[in-house]
Amino acid sequence: MKYTVAGLAGLLLLLHLPAVAQPARPIPGKQVAKPAPAKKAPAPEAPATPVEGIVVPSWLPQNAPYQPAATILTDVVDTKLDVRFDYKSQHLLGTAVLTLRPHFYPQSQVVLDAKGFDIQKVELLGEKKPKTLTYAYDKKQLTINLDRAYARTEAYQLRIAYVAKPNELPAGGSDAITSNKGLYFINPLGTEPNKPRQIWTQGETEANSCWFPTIDKPNQRMTQEISMTVESQFKTLSNGLLVSSKPNADGTRTDTWRQSQPHAPYLATMVVGDFAVVSDTWRGKSVDYYVEPKYAGTARAIFGRTPEMMEYFSKKLGVDFPWEKYAQVPVRDYVSGAMENTSATTHGASIQATRRELLDAGYDSGESTIVHELFHQWFGDYVTSESWANLPLNESFADYSELLWAEYKLGADEAALVQHNKLNIYLEEAQSKREPLIRYHYQNREDMFDRHSYQKGGRVLHMLRKYVGDEAFFAALNRYLVQNKQSAVEISKLRTAFEEVTGEDLMWFFNQWFMQRGHPELRISHSFANGQVALRVQQVQDTLFQPVYRLPVTVGVWINNQLTEHRITVSKADQTFSLPAAQKPSLVKFDNESQLLAQFEEDRSTEELLHQFYHARSYQQKVEVLDLLQNKTMELAVSGMMRNALNDKFWMVRRVALDHLRRYRGPETGAVKKEIQRLATADAHPRVRAQALITLASFPNDNYGANFLAALNDSSYTVAAASIEALTKNATVNARKQIAALEETPSAIMLMAIANYYAKFGGLDQYGWFLRRLPDVAEADLYTYFQAFGGLMTNIPPVERDKGIKVLEEHARNSPKYYVRLGAYRGLALLVPTNPNIKAMLQDIKEKEKDDRLRTFYSLM
């Protein structure tokens, strides 16, 4: 599953939780070494309540219950489903034939997960006529009494007729997967304009039992056949191959999809809708892209690298793509980022794009998700985590695949950008939460879908790769996949594969990185005397709750323009290393490969940092200097370095430099501003042009109105939206006419930019526009849109606001997404100074709000 962190990061800021763009500085304090846990034992949970004499860090989670892998009494061997859909009631009418077998001990009863069904009949199938069985059902689990005790050598078949009612289940969900009802009817009656009718499922974590009876645990494995009866105009998609498609006398059609290789129940999927299917192939296997018909012309531009990805990963892993076909389908109103259903990945609809939108499609805005879900077909589907506690065995690998593909296809700089961004995403979360990667203690299984399981896990795999070397790393992954194919595993299987390949006991690595919480916080300093560099490394993390780390790392020593690298291993809380040097180095760089998952305070002078920039071996080394020297641009050498960065070959270096040059007042100001103007119009990368416009807008005494107005017609929506943002900050340029001409834009980013512009400069003429475009606003954008709407209403007479206030009140009270409720609440709050009645409304909303996060936020307003 692709976990979209952007929304969560934004929400942390909204709720005033700790969040930073760059790694925070370590906290000083006395360090106490903590011994590593015994072999094969998970790290003990630290106390979450204060103990006398011990200060408990704020990031230490509360005690949580132990969550073992599910006990297996019965194996689900095969599942056959025959389903049809009642659109009016949003029910599924189904018949399931389950082939089951006792796992080891004889069983006279079987317990199936079946959430919120109407059970119509349960039968045992055999050579003679079916036998009706008795059962007990509590709307969550179906306990069936068999006709006798069955041994583990005996398979038996049950037929269950049922009705699934997903919309009648209690509401639930999490930050990562916002709903857990399993089966979703989208615009079922066709009453919503501009939205297609669709049906789709989302099984992870244990929601597929909302639409078919099963044992809904990741350590089950079954083959599968699903027959879907649908209206004839619709396409269907499921796991495996389409083995038959038969028209029915009533005008419907029944499609049967069969998967002959076993997989976990949560990976089963169905999709129904009006799709164009663009077909591709890989080594004779079908590779299909299902898209809404209007995107048929761009489907290959969006998904077309998939066969190349399949070939690359098949060769890299030494295990060919293991499934019978591969398909991808975007759906509306999806409840997560994307999902790796076996052989049939589901994406959110936003991955679809027009030709113009594709101009802005960076690696992080679509292709990385395609890579992530494809890699899951090996790590997660072919080999599956036996429990949610071991989720990083799925998600860390999928996360790391994004770096692997970037490295192969886009180059070292793009891969380094992936590494840099994901490290900071994890470190941001680590300010308020630190958990072991492999967690047997948690409150809710969906708590596992966090920046630890994804971004931290991916960085841990990167360090493991750097430690053992590329050849051993991929040989170990091959061994892991081959030895554990079509099975469910725990972390020890991965460690064993690496130990068998390398011949080294790697318990130390797996214990400190997978089984214990936290990360190193390092202070690095150095001095030179008598032909030696004394490099001091201090681990200053709180080692009562985190380990003292063993850190194999490379140190680069530059003498003039000559680099010498030294391999050292940090293993103590305070350690000094002696490195030979013929003269005082120009630069001493700890972690010269930028591979550690850690926070740093590394002592370097401005001269050393400038040397690092001009001799940088990676994007991370350059951007670190830009960040550290951004407040020293009055110095000529630093200013020159920033100007050099504006011409760097890698687009993100140029963009970061532009960001740091906002409000620039250093040497040669005029020349620097001309260079920024040049980038705003001529740079090849749209994100650089967009940042250049924002940087120009930071000079309030200069007139760049012509640049901003010209950029409204840029081929890139990102650039055009940035120009509107710049115009929003510049009250001297009247751009209402030009922006009014863009009001019907299909672009989400443009729509939000226009809303923010009208919040500041709009009036009664734009009131109707806000209401009219509301159905076009993506749910993720409503938080900002509603605040802009509130801002607009402060500019119009109070007597004209009634309809808008009702819209905001309705969403503040009833939106299923808490961030939407928050945005509407804040939009209403803007109106309090001119409408005292709103204050009472907000108080009532606050008192009736059930989400503790929002209640806390509202109390702070």
Side-chain angles (χ1 to χ4, degrees):
M1 172 165 286
K2 179 69 171 180
Y3 174 39
T4 52
V5 300
L8 178 58
L11 197 61
L12 289 173
L13 295 172
L14 303 180
L15 299 179
H16 296 304
L17 296 176
V20 291
Q22 300 300 326
R25 291 182 177 272
I27 301 172
K30 185 177 179 181
Q31 310 306 316
V32 180
K34 180 180 179 182
K39 210 166 192 178
K40 294 200 174 183
E45 294 296 309
T49 54
V51 177
E52 186 176 354
I54 297 176
V55 178
V56 177
S58 61
W59 46 254
L60 187 69
Q62 294 293 314
N63 284 336
Y66 177 65
Q67 305 282 4
T71 299
I72 304 175
L73 298 176
T74 299
D75 294 322
V76 180
V77 179
D78 181 71
T79 298
K80 288 184 173 60
L81 303 176
D82 189 346
V83 304
R84 62 182 60 235
F85 307 99
D86 181 338
Y87 281 86
K88 184 176 180 179
S89 61
Q90 299 183 48
H91 292 171
L92 176 148
L93 315 178
T95 300
V97 175
L98 306 182
T99 302
L100 307 167
R101 181 187 293 118
H103 183 73
F104 186 83
Y105 300 105
Q107 302 291 324
S108 58
Q109 197 176 68
V110 62
V111 179
L112 302 175
D113 297 301
K115 300 184 180 80
F117 293 178
D118 287 344
I119 303 296
Q120 298 173 329
K121 183 179 285 190
V122 178
E123 297 175 305
L124 178 71
L125 302 182
E127 295 181 3
K128 300 179 181 180
K129 68 176 185 178
K131 182 184 295 185
T132 300
L133 298 177
T134 62
Y135 60 87
Y137 183 48
D138 64 0
K139 289 294 184 178
K140 294 180 181 179
Q141 291 188 314
L142 177 64
T143 302
I144 301 170
N145 302 309
L146 304 177
D147 61 334
R148 61 180 176 84
Y150 286 78
R152 64 180 179 271
T153 56
E154 297 179 283
Y156 58 92
Q157 283 191 327
L158 300 179
R159 182 166 61 200
I160 303 168
Y162 65 98
V163 178
K165 303 177 177 182
N167 285 350
E168 298 173 28
L169 293 169
S174 67
D175 287 334
I177 308 166
T178 59
S179 178
N180 61 358
K181 63 184 183 179
L183 174 67
Y184 300 82
F185 290 79
I186 306 303
N187 192 18
L189 302 180
T191 57
E192 296 181 70
N194 304 319
K195 181 179 287 189
R197 293 171 65 207
Q198 294 178 347
I199 296 171
W200 48 263
T201 63
Q202 167 56 41
E204 197 171 38
T205 50
E206 297 175 9
N208 272 345
S209 50
C210 297
W211 60 277
F212 70 92
T214 188
I215 300 176
D216 206 352
K217 301 297 177 184
N219 56 1
Q220 288 287 337
R221 213 161 185 94
M222 65 186 193
T223 53
Q224 173 187 304
E225 182 178 288
I226 300 180
S227 296
M228 288 176 268
T229 298
V230 299
E231 297 174 49
S232 59
Q233 74 268 27
F234 288 144
K235 300 285 197 310
T236 67
L237 176 63
S238 186
N239 316 92
L241 298 175
L242 180 64
V243 295
S244 72
S245 184
K246 299 178 181 178
N248 301 316
D250 62 358
T252 63
R253 188 185 75 252
T254 299
D255 289 352
T256 299
W257 293 82
R258 181 180 301 149
Q259 179 163 296
S260 60
Q261 299 179 71
H263 70 161
Y266 77 88
L267 295 166
T269 187
M270 297 187 300
V271 180
V272 179
D274 181 14
F275 297 105
V277 182
V278 177
S279 296
D280 217 331
T281 61
W282 174 79
R283 296 192 192 177
K285 292 184 177 183
S286 295
V287 179
D288 295 325
Y289 319 129
Y290 286 62
V291 294
E292 292 177 30
K294 67 180 179 179
Y295 295 105
T298 55
R300 285 186 185 277
I302 299 164
F303 297 109
R305 285 183 175 171
T306 301
E308 186 182 0
M309 295 172 187
M310 296 168 74
E311 183 69 16
Y312 170 69
F313 288 130
S314 293
K315 288 181 176 177
K316 203 72 176 172
L317 297 170
V319 175
D320 288 347
F321 175 81
W323 307 103
E324 297 152 301
K325 67 104 173 35
Y326 191 55
Q328 297 174 83
V329 57
V331 299
R332 292 294 186 99
D333 298 344
Y334 196 50
V335 295
S336 190
M339 180 62 204
E340 67 273 13
N341 308 303
T342 310
S343 80
T345 284
T346 304
H347 293 275
S350 62
I351 200 169
Q352 299 174 122
T354 63
R355 294 282 178 194
R356 186 176 177 187
E357 289 168 335
L358 285 171
L359 296 174
D360 296 326
Y363 180 59
D364 58 349
S365 60
E367 188 168 336
S368 64
T369 302
I370 295 169
V371 172
H372 182 111
E373 303 307 329
L374 174 62
F375 209 66
H376 267 310
Q377 302 297 313
W378 287 269
F379 293 89
D381 297 6
Y382 193 54
V383 178
T384 307
S385 302
E386 70 165 13
S387 65
W388 302 114
N390 283 272
L391 181 69
L393 290 173
N394 296 1
E395 296 300 348
S396 296
F397 278 101
D399 184 273
Y400 191 53
S401 72
E402 299 172 41
L403 184 146
L404 292 174
W405 178 253
E407 186 178 68
Y408 165 74
K409 189 66 180 178
L410 304 175
D413 283 333
E414 285 285 357
L417 178 59
V418 171
Q419 173 76 358
H420 176 81
N421 287 345
K422 288 178 176 288
L423 173 60
N424 283 338
I425 287 169
Y426 158 70
L427 290 174
E428 183 180 71
E429 180 176 81
Q431 291 182 84
S432 57
K433 170 185 179 180
R434 297 188 192 182
E435 295 270 22
L437 274 182
I438 305 300
R439 268 166 276 171
Y440 292 98
H441 293 261
Y442 54 79
Q443 296 292 345
N444 185 300
R445 58 183 174 264
E446 291 189 13
D447 294 343
M448 291 295 301
F449 292 81
D450 60 7
R451 304 183 193 192
H452 286 62
S453 293
Y454 288 71
Q455 287 84 11
K456 181 180 182 181
R459 311 296 59 77
V460 169
L461 291 175
H462 188 62
M463 289 187 294
L464 182 57
R465 177 187 171 197
K466 289 294 184 179
Y467 178 71
V468 302
D470 271 25
E471 185 176 0
F473 181 78
F474 290 106
L477 296 191
N478 172 269
R479 189 176 189 89
Y480 170 78
L481 291 170
V482 170
Q483 289 185 336
N484 301 293
K485 64 181 181 181
Q486 297 182 350
S487 69
V489 299
E490 63 172 354
I491 187 64
S492 63
K493 297 288 189 179
L494 182 66
R495 175 181 54 79
T496 300
F498 272 87
E499 290 181 342
E500 289 172 349
V501 166
T502 64
E504 179 182 349
D505 188 325
L506 292 169
M507 180 58 70
W508 67 269
F509 184 95
F510 280 78
N511 264 357
Q512 73 180 19
W513 288 115
F514 285 96
M515 309 308 297
Q516 298 190 64
R517 59 170 55 88
H519 56 269
E521 298 172 11
L522 306 176
R523 284 180 179 164
I524 316 297
S525 59
H526 67 272
S527 60
F528 173 77
N530 302 320
Q532 296 286 324
V533 172
L535 177 73
R536 186 182 182 188
V537 182
Q538 297 171 278
Q539 298 194 40
V540 298
Q541 67 271 12
D542 183 341
T543 53
L544 184 61
F545 300 102
Q546 300 169 107
V548 171
Y549 286 85
R550 176 178 170 184
L551 304 172
V553 68
T554 299
V555 179
V557 177
W558 286 89
I559 297 177
N560 297 322
N561 295 322
Q562 184 66 42
L563 170 65
T564 302
E565 290 190 309
H566 303 271
R567 190 73 172 170
I568 64 172
T569 299
V570 179
S571 58
K572 300 176 183 178
D574 193 339
Q575 202 165 0
T576 299
F577 300 86
S578 294
L579 309 174
Q583 63 187 69
K584 184 178 180 179
S586 306
L587 171 68
V588 176
K589 182 69 184 82
F590 184 81
D591 188 23
N592 201 43
E593 294 181 323
S594 302
Q595 57 97 7
L596 280 186
L597 191 165
Q599 290 173 275
F600 295 88
E601 278 188 3
E602 189 172 3
D603 290 346
R604 282 155 297 170
S605 66
T606 298
E607 291 72 23
E608 288 176 301
L609 288 169
L610 290 170
H611 188 280
Q612 176 176 317
F613 179 85
Y614 289 114
H615 296 83
R617 303 186 66 201
S618 66
Y619 162 75
Q620 295 104 309
Q621 290 190 5
K622 285 188 177 181
V623 77
E624 180 190 29
V625 176
L626 293 174
D627 292 341
L628 290 173
L629 296 182
Q630 62 177 300
N631 295 322
K632 294 188 175 184
T633 54
M634 292 298 292
E635 299 178 20
L636 183 61
V638 175
S639 172
M641 181 268 296
M642 286 287 183
R643 293 183 66 181
N644 182 284
L646 293 179
N647 294 288
D648 195 89
K649 64 182 178 62
F650 186 44
W651 67 272
M652 193 59 174
V653 174
R654 303 195 300 275
R655 185 177 182 273
V656 171
L658 283 165
D659 183 48
H660 292 331
L661 286 170
R662 286 179 297 159
R663 297 177 293 277
Y664 176 77
R665 292 292 183 271
E668 300 182 308
T669 304
V672 170
K673 290 179 179 179
K674 285 183 179 180
E675 185 67 7
I676 297 170
Q677 281 185 284
R678 181 187 66 80
L679 293 172
T681 57
D683 196 275
H685 201 288
R687 296 193 197 182
V688 177
R689 298 200 301 277
Q691 182 60 59
L693 291 167
I694 299 305
T695 300
L696 289 175
S698 72
F699 303 116
N701 297 324
D702 296 297
N703 183 8
Y704 297 109
N707 295 89
F708 303 150
L709 292 172
L712 289 172
N713 299 311
D714 195 280
S715 58
S716 160
Y717 282 130
T718 296
V719 176
S723 71
I724 297 174
E725 181 181 343
L727 288 164
T728 303
K729 295 177 180 179
N730 192 329
T732 63
V733 181
N734 186 343
R736 289 193 187 187
K737 181 177 179 181
Q738 292 89 334
I739 289 177
L742 303 171
E743 284 185 349
E744 304 311 310
T745 178
S747 165
I749 189 173
M750 288 284 287
L751 184 60
M752 297 309 300
I754 294 170
N756 288 328
Y757 181 86
Y758 283 157
K760 185 173 181 180
F761 297 119
L764 190 57
D765 289 345
Q766 286 73 44
Y767 181 61
W769 176 85
F770 268 93
L771 293 168
R772 180 167 50 80
R773 292 306 307 263
L774 179 58
D776 303 323
V777 180
E779 192 171 55
D781 290 333
L782 286 173
Y783 168 78
T784 302
Y785 191 81
F786 283 145
Q787 291 179 81
F789 191 23
L792 179 281
M793 284 194 284
T794 65
N795 300 332
I796 68 175
V799 295
E800 303 287 351
R801 301 174 184 169
D802 286 354
K803 187 173 182 180
I805 289 172
K806 288 178 181 178
V807 167
L808 292 181
E809 181 184 7
E810 169 64 22
H811 283 83
R813 293 186 185 276
N814 301 318
S815 174
K817 299 296 190 297
Y818 67 98
Y819 55 84
V820 176
R821 299 200 299 278
L822 176 59
Y825 186 98
R826 293 189 69 162
L828 286 168
L830 294 173
L831 303 176
V832 170
T834 56
N835 188 342
N837 294 332
I838 299 291
K839 189 172 183 179
M841 179 192 298
L842 292 174
Q843 181 63 28
D844 186 64
I845 292 171
K846 173 186 171 183
E847 291 174 355
K848 293 177 179 177
E849 176 59 60
K850 296 179 180 179
D851 190 299
D852 288 339
R853 293 166 296 189
L854 294 187
R855 290 175 63 88
T856 299
F857 179 81
Y858 294 160
S859 67
L860 297 173
M861 288 186 65

